[in-house]
Amino acid sequence: MKKEIALGIDIGGTNTAFGLVDREGNYLAGASIATDKHADINDYLKEMSAEIEKLNAFLKGQFEILGIGIGAPNANYYKGTIENAVNLRWKGVIPFCNMLKAYFPDIPSFITNDANAAAIGEMVYGGAKDMKDFVMVTLGTGLGSGFVANGKLIYGHDSFAGELGHINVEPHGRQCNCGLQGCLETYVSATGVKRTVFEMMSRYNDPSPLRDISFNEMSAKKVSELAEQNDKIALKTFAFTGELLGKALANTVAITSPEAVFLFGGLAKSGRLIFDPTKEALDKNVLSTFAGKVKLLPSQLSDNAAVYGAAALAWNELKK
Ligand SMILES: [Zn+2]
């Protein structure tokens, strides 16, 4: 008998990673292709399905793919579509799950946005295994989030629920890619940290090697490395970022009463530099009913989290 597996696909603006994951969370094989190489989605699907066939051949056909889970920007879970994603070359509304049927006619596919997929991954394979209420915050170039309440991911009326990155934290604040001003992700994200570090350098006159780095060469990772060496500008940048995140989480917690908030992604890897000021601001600003009750935890998912999350989405849907 063939072993049953799910195919997880993580579609990013630059790369698409995919992998075969079994029910227990073992990652059996995977590969990736360039997303931005293909202006025509049909060419993209052709290359991806050929790569998946190669994986299957490599595993000597011992496996049967039961379902396909996809994490993608601006994905509509209800319709199986990717809608007007600014970071992808395919414009308009792409009926992704339907198009996939041409290549995998007998395998059901499910799609959701990348942060929601990460939340499901945390629930199925990670630190939220025994939790029914939690929030997943993914810190990358932007800030994504997935909300699980009463054991279920919240999709909302139109499938786009959980846009924590675009709540307002500063009236007339920084311009966001979404067209609004003062969104949380313009402050709390790798890009936000970059913008903040330049603000801190103009506001304070502490000497810092960061002053020799141009905007284009600056990265959140460099700020993190210098903060580890007690660089004052870098430490102020993290304190400011954590305070804004903690305040936003204090508001968030009041809405769904989560047991925990998980932080995932590049910035989360800065450890106590981001966790300490975030936790402090969360506890200070939260309604007394919730004070001290909400855990702030690092995600337990590995670097392949997005693929795990997408595969977990498929397993979750197949269970229904
Ligand atoms: Zn925004």
Side-chain angles (χ1 to χ4, degrees):
M1 206 183 107
K2 288 184 177 179
K3 189 167 170 57
E4 297 174 335
I5 48 167
L7 170 65
I9 304 175
D10 168 46
I11 304 176
T14 316
N15 279 303
T16 295
F18 44 89
L20 300 168
V21 183
D22 70 13
R23 230 181 270 267
E24 290 73 43
N26 300 304
Y27 185 94
L28 302 161
S32 71
I33 62 168
T35 315
D36 53 6
K37 193 168 91 182
H38 302 289
D40 184 338
I41 181 142
N42 287 299
D43 295 341
Y44 166 84
L45 289 172
K46 226 175 269 170
E47 188 188 355
M48 188 170 66
S49 61
E51 289 298 318
I52 291 163
E53 282 310 319
K54 271 192 225 163
L55 280 188
N56 220 2
F58 167 75
L59 295 168
K60 298 195 175 72
Q62 307 167 52
F63 297 91
E64 185 189 356
I65 301 174
L66 286 197
I68 303 172
I70 305 139
N74 289 51
N76 187 322
Y77 163 79
Y78 295 130
K79 296 181 179 163
T81 52
I82 298 176
E83 304 188 1
N84 310 306
V86 283
N87 297 327
L88 299 178
R89 291 179 73 184
W90 322 311
K91 299 301 165 209
V93 177
I94 307 291
F96 198 87
C97 289
N98 267 338
M99 294 183 89
L100 212 52
K101 275 206 180 86
Y103 300 90
F104 304 99
D106 305 318
I107 309 173
S109 63
F110 313 94
I111 194 165
T112 190
N113 83 38
D114 23 15
N116 284 346
I120 297 171
E122 200 72 52
M123 184 161 60
V124 175
Y125 301 128
K129 266 183 196 157
D130 302 316
M131 293 184 190
K132 287 202 167 331
D133 298 272
F134 71 94
V135 179
M136 180 81 169
V137 177
T138 62
L139 301 166
T141 318
L143 186 155
S145 64
F147 286 70
V148 171
N150 304 329
K152 283 187 182 150
L153 190 84
I154 300 179
Y155 286 105
H157 167 66
D158 58 0
S159 162
F160 296 107
E163 286 290 354
L164 189 63
H166 301 279
I167 62 164
N168 186 282
V169 293
E170 192 70 58
H172 313 294
R174 293 177 187 172
Q175 180 69 49
C176 184
N177 286 336
C178 74
L180 296 170
Q181 270 184 297
C183 292
L184 182 63
E185 83 165 22
T186 65
Y187 298 89
V188 184
S189 63
T191 331
V193 163
K194 238 174 107 163
R195 290 166 92 165
T196 301
V197 80
F198 284 92
E199 241 177 65
M200 292 299 165
M201 286 193 281
S202 65
R203 197 183 303 168
Y204 301 101
N205 44 22
D206 304 274
S208 166
L210 289 165
R211 294 187 188 277
D212 298 325
I213 304 174
S214 74
F215 189 84
N216 285 331
E217 279 160 4
M218 183 68 76
S219 69
K221 196 164 172 258
K222 281 183 186 153
V223 182
S224 174
E225 282 163 10
L226 278 156
E228 287 292 351
Q229 297 163 30
N230 281 326
D231 180 275
K232 292 221 168 66
I233 294 289
L235 287 172
K236 280 172 180 144
T237 300
F238 271 100
F240 174 84
T241 307
E243 188 183 356
L244 275 177
L245 177 58
K247 278 183 180 165
L249 291 178
N251 289 333
T252 305
V253 156
I255 298 170
T256 58
S257 181
E259 178 179 345
V261 176
F262 290 89
L263 301 186
F264 172 80
L267 264 189
K269 285 187 189 146
S270 301
R272 60 173 183 85
L273 289 172
I274 189 79
F275 276 83
D276 288 356
T278 303
K279 184 82 174 85
E280 194 187 324
L282 167 60
D283 286 339
K284 205 165 115 189
N285 293 283
V286 81
L287 186 68
S288 61
T289 321
F290 305 107
K293 287 185 194 162
V294 187
K295 297 172 216 161
L296 186 68
L297 302 169
S299 164
Q300 298 299 312
L301 294 175
S302 70
D303 285 342
N304 281 327
V307 172
Y308 272 110
L313 167 70
W315 285 124
N316 235 18
E317 293 294 322
L318 292 166
K319 233 176 19 189
K320 282 183 187 168

